[in-house]
Amino acid sequence: MTAVSMGAWRFTLRGAELADLAYDGEPVLRAIRFVTRDHDWRTADDTVLARTLPSGTGSRGRLRIEASARYDDTEVLRYTLEVTVDGPILRVDATGTTTTPFRRNRIGLVVLHPPTLAGVPVTARHPSGTVTEAAFPTWIAPHQPAADLSGLDWSTGRVALSLDLAGDVFETEDQRNWTDASFKTYSTPLSEPFPVALDAGSVVHQSLTLRATTDDRPGGTASPAPDLAFLDGPAPTAVVAPPPTLQLLAASAPAAARPAAVPLGVPVLVEPVLGDPNVGAVLASARLDAGGGPLDVRFVTDDPDVLRAAIDDVLDSGAVVRIGAFDPTSHVTTPALQQALRDAAAAVGDLEVVAGTRAHFTELNRTVDLFRDWDGPLTFSVTPQMHDRSPEQVTESVRMQRWVVMSASRLAAGRALHVGPVTLRPRFNAVATSARPSVTDASLEAGYGPHFVVDATDPAQHSAAARAWFAASVEALTVPGVVSITLAEAWGPRGGPLPG
């Protein structure tokens, strides 16, 4: 990382990213970056090829960054960022050129606003010349709080800011949905069709201009800040009783890698995909992982009748603490699946059933109306590396987890919450446009599920830092109403011990 000073502007070069931008000593943006997202919304890994450090004197300066965007060591695009400063104006010109045929969902500039802007008024400017008065949301917004953008105006501390955007139409989303510590202004709008096939040599050109004005009057330009003490303090009541049960996710590594000993008596969450030939093996392996403890079974299916039969089978095979079900495409519990779960609970008598999403809080936040007639527990999972795999991203996500679980508690409106799995990397791609690979092997000799998901395994999974991160996540997610928290897999490359 390299600290850069250009006039009154300060920021850090973190690879090809301008991070932690400040003007006249006042923090103004989390980052400016150029992002490549493929047809499955995977974010490319960027490598800086050349960088010319700032030149100029006084309040003016210029720097240039050349970088390569790659997937699995294959380059798909090269881009340049020209950054110029002229007094209170910072401008970024970005040009990207594809180097191979490529299907993209999005390519272009991204502006990350700090989450501390929650509740702060913002003026959205549109290509038509009209404006909309809005605010950065305090509670996590399910949909874009600002759309059809050519610019934004807002204030933070002593600094008023005006952002002009060119080269595409932009919009803003609330990235706290994925435990990112930011609001994100980006192009291309999600309303546009995707993916888009690009030939080699396709060019993307975008620019942004950020103007800052300092107001040194007492209080400056800032609006009253919202009370965000709940993010860093203890849970909102003095006692969370009883504390949530800690569970593990069933291991998905090859069967031959199973260690001699796994956790004993620990509830294990398992996600069999009904219709796959390995359902029996997946459940049997999870029973071994549980070591005598019960299973928390979350079936993946779109067929209520198949679900009912599977519930009967699993209840006959051993202890089960709860049952859930999710559609394989939307990853939420559809009304038809909810009814099947209710029917099963009524037939058994003491069966706990859970609904919600097996994916990010985003999906629960956007589909909560589906659960207006569901009076049972709700669930969602947590992973910090949906958009960014930097160490900073992982660390900052812990604070956002408290924000997420408090937002989920508001949606639950008194219903219990089961949080998890909490994993360092996504265990499946919830937004892929590619079809899920078919499963033909009834055994687990080669592993299953997450074991075959690209980028699902974090190299730091078994480090002391990861152990500390999981412990901090448990603390952040332990609030009233949270009944269980499921962490990493029981063993294997995506496994990890329970916090001590």
Side-chain angles (χ1 to χ4, degrees), residues 289-363:
D289 292 348
L295 295 188
D296 182 338
V297 186
R298 315 283 179 91
F299 291 109
V300 179
T301 181
D302 59 1
D303 190 324
D305 294 330
V306 171
L307 171 62
R308 283 301 313 277
I311 291 174
D312 291 341
D313 288 345
V314 78
L315 291 176
D316 288 340
S317 66
V320 173
V321 68
R322 72 185 57 86
I323 298 282
F326 308 105
D327 182 89
T329 301
S330 67
H331 310 298
V332 302
T333 313
T334 62
L337 293 175
Q338 291 175 36
Q339 187 58 53
L341 291 171
R342 286 193 198 93
D343 292 345
V348 174
D350 60 352
L351 174 65
E352 181 183 12
V353 290
V354 62
T357 179
R358 68 188 291 248
H360 315 276
F361 171 69
T362 319
E363 279 69 39

Side-chain angles (χ1 to χ4, degrees), residues 194-360:
F194 61 84
V196 174
L198 300 176
D199 294 327
S202 299
V203 177
V204 175
H205 180 241
Q206 296 179 4
S207 66
L208 65 83
T209 303
L210 186 63
R211 294 175 174 84
T213 304
T214 304
D215 185 347
D216 285 316
R217 295 174 300 174
T221 63
S223 302
D227 181 5
L228 304 179
F230 69 83
L231 294 178
D232 297 311
T237 60
V239 177
V240 179
T245 299
L246 296 185
Q247 305 185 157
L248 291 174
L249 180 62
S252 61
R258 176 181 294 278
V262 294
L264 297 178
V266 177
V268 167
L269 190 156
V270 60
E271 300 174 302
V273 180
L274 297 182
D276 283 358
N278 63 5
V279 170
V282 166
L283 287 166
S285 178
R287 290 281 182 202
L288 292 175
D289 292 348
L295 295 188
D296 182 338
V297 186
R298 315 283 179 91
F299 291 109
V300 179
T301 181
D302 59 1
D303 190 324
D305 294 330
V306 171
L307 171 62
R308 283 301 313 277
I311 291 174
D312 291 341
D313 288 345
V314 78
L315 291 176
D316 288 340
S317 66
V320 173
V321 68
R322 72 185 57 86
I323 298 282
F326 308 105
D327 182 89
T329 301
S330 67
H331 310 298
V332 302
T333 313
T334 62
L337 293 175
Q338 291 175 36
Q339 187 58 53
L341 291 171
R342 286 193 198 93
D343 292 345
V348 174
D350 60 352
L351 174 65
E352 181 183 12
V353 290
V354 62
T357 179
R358 68 188 291 248
H360 315 276

Side-chain angles (χ1 to χ4, degrees), residues 131-467:
V131 300
T132 302
E133 299 300 330
F136 291 98
T138 298
W139 294 108
I140 300 175
H143 301 290
Q144 282 69 10
D148 188 31
L149 295 176
S150 60
L152 293 170
D153 303 313
W154 75 99
S155 297
T156 178
R158 300 177 297 112
V159 177
L161 295 153
S162 181
L163 175 65
D164 295 324
L165 302 159
D168 202 343
V169 177
F170 288 70
E171 59 190 18
T172 300
E173 74 180 7
D174 193 338
Q175 287 209 132
R176 298 172 300 170
N177 275 293
W178 297 271
T179 71
D180 294 40
S182 60
F183 303 100
K184 178 174 70 177
T185 298
Y186 61 90
S187 67
T188 305
L190 285 172
S191 58
E192 296 292 327
F194 61 84
V196 174
L198 300 176
D199 294 327
S202 299
V203 177
V204 175
H205 180 241
Q206 296 179 4
S207 66
L208 65 83
T209 303
L210 186 63
R211 294 175 174 84
T213 304
T214 304
D215 185 347
D216 285 316
R217 295 174 300 174
T221 63
S223 302
D227 181 5
L228 304 179
F230 69 83
L231 294 178
D232 297 311
T237 60
V239 177
V240 179
T245 299
L246 296 185
Q247 305 185 157
L248 291 174
L249 180 62
S252 61
R258 176 181 294 278
V262 294
L264 297 178
V266 177
V268 167
L269 190 156
V270 60
E271 300 174 302
V273 180
L274 297 182
D276 283 358
N278 63 5
V279 170
V282 166
L283 287 166
S285 178
R287 290 281 182 202
L288 292 175
D289 292 348
L295 295 188
D296 182 338
V297 186
R298 315 283 179 91
F299 291 109
V300 179
T301 181
D302 59 1
D303 190 324
D305 294 330
V306 171
L307 171 62
R308 283 301 313 277
I311 291 174
D312 291 341
D313 288 345
V314 78
L315 291 176
D316 288 340
S317 66
V320 173
V321 68
R322 72 185 57 86
I323 298 282
F326 308 105
D327 182 89
T329 301
S330 67
H331 310 298
V332 302
T333 313
T334 62
L337 293 175
Q338 291 175 36
Q339 187 58 53
L341 291 171
R342 286 193 198 93
D343 292 345
V348 174
D350 60 352
L351 174 65
E352 181 183 12
V353 290
V354 62
T357 179
R358 68 188 291 248
H360 315 276
F361 171 69
T362 319
E363 279 69 39
L364 180 63
N365 204 11
R366 291 176 176 174
T367 64
V368 69
D369 285 347
L370 290 178
F371 305 99
R372 58 184 178 273
D373 297 325
W374 176 263
D375 58 4
L378 293 171
T379 187
F380 62 93
S381 67
V382 172
T383 182
Q385 299 184 68
M386 173 65 179
H387 300 113
D388 181 3
R389 294 201 292 267
S390 69
E392 294 81 8
Q393 167 75 16
V394 176
T395 300
E396 292 165 354
S397 75
V398 171
R399 192 169 188 251
M400 297 303 101
Q401 288 176 32
R402 174 61 64 86
W403 216 324
V404 162
V405 78
M406 292 297 293
S407 291
S409 181
R410 292 178 76 247
L411 295 181
R415 291 169 286 187
L417 289 171
H418 293 281
V419 181
V422 180
T423 58
L424 280 172
R425 294 275 183 92
R427 69 195 191 283
F428 72 101
N429 189 337
V431 292
T433 63
S434 299
R436 173 179 172 265
S438 61
V439 176
T440 58
D441 188 355
S443 78
L444 304 186
E445 292 305 312
Y448 75 98
H451 190 69
F452 296 109
V453 174
V454 176
D455 297 330
T457 304
D458 193 311
Q461 181 76 36
H462 295 282
S463 67
R467 184 183 179 92

